[in-house]
Short mmCIF file of all heavy atoms in Angstrom, two decimals:
data_model
loop_
_atom_site.label_atom_id
_atom_site.label_comp_id
_atom_site.label_asym_id
_atom_site.label_seq_id
_atom_site.Cartn_x
_atom_site.Cartn_y
_atom_site.Cartn_z
N LEU D 1041 -27.41 -7.88 6.40
CA LEU D 1041 -26.75 -7.11 7.44
C LEU D 1041 -27.64 -5.92 7.78
O LEU D 1041 -27.84 -5.04 6.94
CB LEU D 1041 -25.37 -6.63 7.00
CG LEU D 1041 -24.53 -5.95 8.08
CD1 LEU D 1041 -24.14 -6.96 9.16
CD2 LEU D 1041 -23.29 -5.30 7.49
N GLN D 1042 -28.18 -5.92 8.99
CA GLN D 1042 -28.98 -4.82 9.49
C GLN D 1042 -28.05 -3.82 10.16
O GLN D 1042 -27.35 -4.18 11.11
CB GLN D 1042 -30.03 -5.32 10.47
CG GLN D 1042 -30.90 -4.22 11.08
CD GLN D 1042 -31.83 -3.59 10.07
OE1 GLN D 1042 -32.43 -4.29 9.26
NE2 GLN D 1042 -31.94 -2.27 10.11
N LEU D 1043 -28.04 -2.58 9.70
CA LEU D 1043 -27.18 -1.54 10.21
C LEU D 1043 -28.05 -0.51 10.93
O LEU D 1043 -28.86 0.17 10.31
CB LEU D 1043 -26.39 -0.84 9.11
CG LEU D 1043 -25.41 -1.65 8.26
CD1 LEU D 1043 -26.13 -2.48 7.21
CD2 LEU D 1043 -24.43 -0.71 7.56
N ASN D 1044 -27.88 -0.39 12.24
CA ASN D 1044 -28.62 0.57 13.05
C ASN D 1044 -27.67 1.57 13.69
O ASN D 1044 -26.47 1.32 13.80
CB ASN D 1044 -29.42 -0.15 14.14
CG ASN D 1044 -30.50 -1.05 13.61
OD1 ASN D 1044 -31.07 -0.79 12.56
ND2 ASN D 1044 -30.80 -2.11 14.35
N SER D 1045 -28.23 2.69 14.13
CA SER D 1045 -27.46 3.73 14.83
C SER D 1045 -26.21 4.10 14.05
O SER D 1045 -25.10 4.16 14.60
CB SER D 1045 -27.10 3.26 16.24
OG SER D 1045 -28.26 2.95 16.99
N LEU D 1046 -26.39 4.39 12.79
CA LEU D 1046 -25.25 4.61 11.90
C LEU D 1046 -24.52 5.91 12.22
O LEU D 1046 -25.13 6.92 12.56
CB LEU D 1046 -25.71 4.61 10.46
CG LEU D 1046 -26.03 3.22 9.90
CD1 LEU D 1046 -26.87 3.32 8.64
CD2 LEU D 1046 -24.74 2.46 9.63
N ASN D 1047 -23.21 5.84 12.10
CA ASN D 1047 -22.31 6.98 12.28
C ASN D 1047 -21.65 7.32 10.95
O ASN D 1047 -21.55 6.47 10.06
CB ASN D 1047 -21.20 6.65 13.29
CG ASN D 1047 -21.73 6.14 14.61
OD1 ASN D 1047 -22.67 6.72 15.16
ND2 ASN D 1047 -21.13 5.09 15.13
N PRO D 1048 -21.16 8.55 10.80
CA PRO D 1048 -20.37 8.86 9.60
C PRO D 1048 -19.19 7.91 9.39
O PRO D 1048 -18.81 7.64 8.25
CB PRO D 1048 -19.90 10.29 9.85
CG PRO D 1048 -20.94 10.87 10.74
CD PRO D 1048 -21.39 9.74 11.62
N GLU D 1049 -18.64 7.38 10.47
CA GLU D 1049 -17.53 6.44 10.39
C GLU D 1049 -17.93 5.10 9.78
O GLU D 1049 -17.07 4.30 9.42
CB GLU D 1049 -16.93 6.20 11.78
CG GLU D 1049 -16.24 7.43 12.38
CD GLU D 1049 -17.20 8.49 12.89
OE1 GLU D 1049 -18.38 8.18 13.15
OE2 GLU D 1049 -16.78 9.66 13.02
N ASP D 1050 -19.23 4.84 9.66
CA ASP D 1050 -19.70 3.63 9.00
C ASP D 1050 -19.74 3.76 7.49
O ASP D 1050 -20.03 2.77 6.80
CB ASP D 1050 -21.09 3.26 9.51
CG ASP D 1050 -21.11 2.93 10.99
OD1 ASP D 1050 -20.20 2.19 11.45
OD2 ASP D 1050 -22.02 3.40 11.70
N THR D 1051 -19.48 4.94 6.96
CA THR D 1051 -19.46 5.14 5.52
C THR D 1051 -18.39 4.25 4.89
O THR D 1051 -17.22 4.30 5.27
CB THR D 1051 -19.19 6.60 5.17
OG1 THR D 1051 -20.29 7.40 5.64
CG2 THR D 1051 -19.03 6.80 3.68
N ALA D 1052 -18.79 3.43 3.93
CA ALA D 1052 -17.88 2.47 3.32
C ALA D 1052 -18.61 1.74 2.20
O ALA D 1052 -19.83 1.80 2.08
CB ALA D 1052 -17.38 1.45 4.35
N VAL D 1053 -17.83 1.03 1.40
CA VAL D 1053 -18.38 0.01 0.52
C VAL D 1053 -18.45 -1.28 1.30
O VAL D 1053 -17.45 -1.71 1.88
CB VAL D 1053 -17.54 -0.16 -0.76
CG1 VAL D 1053 -18.13 -1.25 -1.64
CG2 VAL D 1053 -17.45 1.15 -1.52
N TYR D 1054 -19.61 -1.89 1.34
CA TYR D 1054 -19.84 -3.11 2.09
C TYR D 1054 -19.87 -4.30 1.13
O TYR D 1054 -20.57 -4.28 0.12
CB TYR D 1054 -21.16 -3.03 2.87
CG TYR D 1054 -21.05 -2.16 4.10
CD1 TYR D 1054 -20.94 -0.78 3.99
CD2 TYR D 1054 -21.03 -2.72 5.37
CE1 TYR D 1054 -20.82 0.02 5.11
CE2 TYR D 1054 -20.91 -1.93 6.50
CZ TYR D 1054 -20.80 -0.56 6.36
OH TYR D 1054 -20.69 0.22 7.48
N TYR D 1055 -19.11 -5.34 1.49
CA TYR D 1055 -18.93 -6.51 0.64
C TYR D 1055 -19.41 -7.78 1.34
O TYR D 1055 -19.14 -7.98 2.53
CB TYR D 1055 -17.46 -6.71 0.28
CG TYR D 1055 -16.84 -5.60 -0.52
CD1 TYR D 1055 -16.20 -4.54 0.10
CD2 TYR D 1055 -16.88 -5.63 -1.91
CE1 TYR D 1055 -15.62 -3.53 -0.63
CE2 TYR D 1055 -16.30 -4.61 -2.65
CZ TYR D 1055 -15.67 -3.57 -2.00
OH TYR D 1055 -15.08 -2.56 -2.73
N CYS D 1056 -20.07 -8.62 0.60
CA CYS D 1056 -20.45 -9.96 1.03
C CYS D 1056 -19.35 -10.93 0.60
O CYS D 1056 -18.79 -10.81 -0.49
CB CYS D 1056 -21.78 -10.32 0.39
SG CYS D 1056 -22.42 -11.96 0.74
N LYS D 1057 -19.03 -11.91 1.46
CA LYS D 1057 -17.93 -12.82 1.18
C LYS D 1057 -18.20 -14.19 1.75
O LYS D 1057 -18.80 -14.34 2.81
CB LYS D 1057 -16.63 -12.24 1.77
CG LYS D 1057 -15.40 -13.12 1.60
CD LYS D 1057 -14.93 -13.64 2.94
CE LYS D 1057 -13.63 -14.40 2.83
NZ LYS D 1057 -13.19 -14.91 4.15
N THR D 1058 -17.75 -15.21 1.02
CA THR D 1058 -17.74 -16.57 1.54
C THR D 1058 -16.41 -17.22 1.22
O THR D 1058 -15.64 -16.72 0.39
CB THR D 1058 -18.91 -17.39 0.96
OG1 THR D 1058 -19.04 -18.62 1.67
CG2 THR D 1058 -18.69 -17.69 -0.52
N ASN D 1059 -16.11 -18.31 1.90
CA ASN D 1059 -14.90 -19.09 1.64
C ASN D 1059 -15.33 -20.44 1.10
O ASN D 1059 -15.92 -21.24 1.83
CB ASN D 1059 -14.05 -19.25 2.88
CG ASN D 1059 -12.70 -19.86 2.59
OD1 ASN D 1059 -12.46 -20.42 1.53
ND2 ASN D 1059 -11.78 -19.74 3.54
N LEU D 1060 -15.03 -20.69 -0.16
CA LEU D 1060 -15.47 -21.90 -0.83
C LEU D 1060 -14.47 -23.03 -0.74
O LEU D 1060 -14.62 -24.04 -1.43
CB LEU D 1060 -15.80 -21.59 -2.29
CG LEU D 1060 -16.97 -20.63 -2.49
CD1 LEU D 1060 -17.15 -20.32 -3.97
CD2 LEU D 1060 -18.25 -21.21 -1.90
N GLY D 1061 -13.44 -22.91 0.09
CA GLY D 1061 -12.50 -23.97 0.33
C GLY D 1061 -11.18 -23.77 -0.38
O GLY D 1061 -10.97 -22.78 -1.08
N ILE D 1062 -10.29 -24.75 -0.20
CA ILE D 1062 -8.93 -24.59 -0.70
C ILE D 1062 -8.87 -24.52 -2.22
O ILE D 1062 -8.01 -23.83 -2.78
CB ILE D 1062 -8.03 -25.71 -0.15
CG1 ILE D 1062 -6.56 -25.41 -0.42
CG2 ILE D 1062 -8.43 -27.07 -0.73
CD1 ILE D 1062 -5.62 -26.30 0.36
N ARG D 1063 -9.77 -25.21 -2.90
CA ARG D 1063 -9.75 -25.18 -4.36
C ARG D 1063 -10.23 -23.86 -4.92
O ARG D 1063 -9.57 -23.24 -5.76
CB ARG D 1063 -10.60 -26.31 -4.93
CG ARG D 1063 -10.03 -27.70 -4.75
CD ARG D 1063 -10.86 -28.67 -5.56
NE ARG D 1063 -10.57 -30.06 -5.28
CZ ARG D 1063 -11.20 -31.07 -5.84
NH1 ARG D 1063 -12.17 -30.85 -6.74
NH2 ARG D 1063 -10.88 -32.31 -5.53
N ARG D 1064 -11.39 -23.42 -4.48
CA ARG D 1064 -12.02 -22.23 -5.06
C ARG D 1064 -11.73 -20.96 -4.29
O ARG D 1064 -11.88 -19.86 -4.83
CB ARG D 1064 -13.52 -22.45 -5.19
CG ARG D 1064 -13.87 -23.51 -6.20
CD ARG D 1064 -15.37 -23.61 -6.43
NE ARG D 1064 -16.05 -24.26 -5.33
CZ ARG D 1064 -17.37 -24.44 -5.27
NH1 ARG D 1064 -18.15 -23.98 -6.25
NH2 ARG D 1064 -17.91 -25.04 -4.23
N GLY D 1065 -11.33 -21.08 -3.03
CA GLY D 1065 -10.91 -19.95 -2.23
C GLY D 1065 -12.03 -19.02 -1.84
O GLY D 1065 -13.21 -19.34 -1.97
N PRO D 1066 -11.65 -17.84 -1.34
CA PRO D 1066 -12.67 -16.85 -0.99
C PRO D 1066 -13.34 -16.28 -2.22
O PRO D 1066 -12.73 -16.20 -3.29
CB PRO D 1066 -11.88 -15.78 -0.23
CG PRO D 1066 -10.50 -15.89 -0.78
CD PRO D 1066 -10.29 -17.36 -1.08
N TYR D 1067 -14.58 -15.89 -2.06
CA TYR D 1067 -15.33 -15.28 -3.15
C TYR D 1067 -16.04 -14.06 -2.63
O TYR D 1067 -16.68 -14.10 -1.57
CB TYR D 1067 -16.33 -16.27 -3.75
CG TYR D 1067 -16.81 -15.85 -5.11
CD1 TYR D 1067 -16.11 -16.22 -6.25
CD2 TYR D 1067 -17.95 -15.06 -5.25
CE1 TYR D 1067 -16.53 -15.82 -7.50
CE2 TYR D 1067 -18.37 -14.65 -6.50
CZ TYR D 1067 -17.66 -15.03 -7.62
OH TYR D 1067 -18.07 -14.63 -8.86
N TRP D 1068 -15.94 -12.97 -3.38
CA TRP D 1068 -16.46 -11.66 -2.99
C TRP D 1068 -17.55 -11.18 -3.92
O TRP D 1068 -17.51 -11.42 -5.13
CB TRP D 1068 -15.33 -10.61 -3.01
CG TRP D 1068 -14.20 -10.92 -2.08
CD1 TRP D 1068 -13.12 -11.72 -2.32
CD2 TRP D 1068 -14.03 -10.41 -0.76
NE1 TRP D 1068 -12.29 -11.75 -1.23
CE2 TRP D 1068 -12.82 -10.96 -0.26
CE3 TRP D 1068 -14.78 -9.56 0.05
CZ2 TRP D 1068 -12.35 -10.66 1.02
CZ3 TRP D 1068 -14.31 -9.26 1.32
CH2 TRP D 1068 -13.11 -9.81 1.79
N GLY D 1069 -18.50 -10.45 -3.35
CA GLY D 1069 -19.45 -9.72 -4.15
C GLY D 1069 -18.84 -8.43 -4.67
O GLY D 1069 -17.68 -8.10 -4.39
N GLN D 1070 -19.63 -7.69 -5.42
CA GLN D 1070 -19.13 -6.45 -6.04
C GLN D 1070 -19.18 -5.26 -5.09
O GLN D 1070 -18.55 -4.23 -5.36
CB GLN D 1070 -19.94 -6.14 -7.30
CG GLN D 1070 -21.25 -5.37 -7.08
CD GLN D 1070 -22.34 -6.19 -6.41
OE1 GLN D 1070 -22.25 -7.40 -6.28
NE2 GLN D 1070 -23.40 -5.50 -5.99
N GLY D 1071 -19.92 -5.35 -4.01
CA GLY D 1071 -20.01 -4.30 -3.03
C GLY D 1071 -21.21 -3.39 -3.23
O GLY D 1071 -21.73 -3.25 -4.33
N THR D 1072 -21.65 -2.78 -2.14
CA THR D 1072 -22.71 -1.78 -2.18
C THR D 1072 -22.31 -0.61 -1.28
O THR D 1072 -21.79 -0.81 -0.18
CB THR D 1072 -24.07 -2.39 -1.76
OG1 THR D 1072 -25.10 -1.41 -1.92
CG2 THR D 1072 -24.05 -2.86 -0.31
#
């Protein structure tokens, strides 16, 4: 994720996520 022209409102923990299907469901990273 390339973040340009950043504002103070962009301050957050950013998480990566995928959906592995009905069995395994969504999966999240720990955040940065």
Side-chain angles (χ1 to χ4, degrees):
L1041 187 67
Q1042 179 69 42
L1043 299 77
N1044 295 329
S1045 302
L1046 285 163
N1047 307 314
E1049 293 75 20
D1050 297 315
T1051 295
V1053 179
Y1054 284 72
Y1055 297 91
C1056 179
K1057 178 247 186 181
T1058 191
N1059 189 345
L1060 296 176
I1062 191 167
R1063 289 189 191 179
R1064 293 186 285 178
Y1067 198 88
W1068 300 85
Q1070 85 289 348
T1072 185

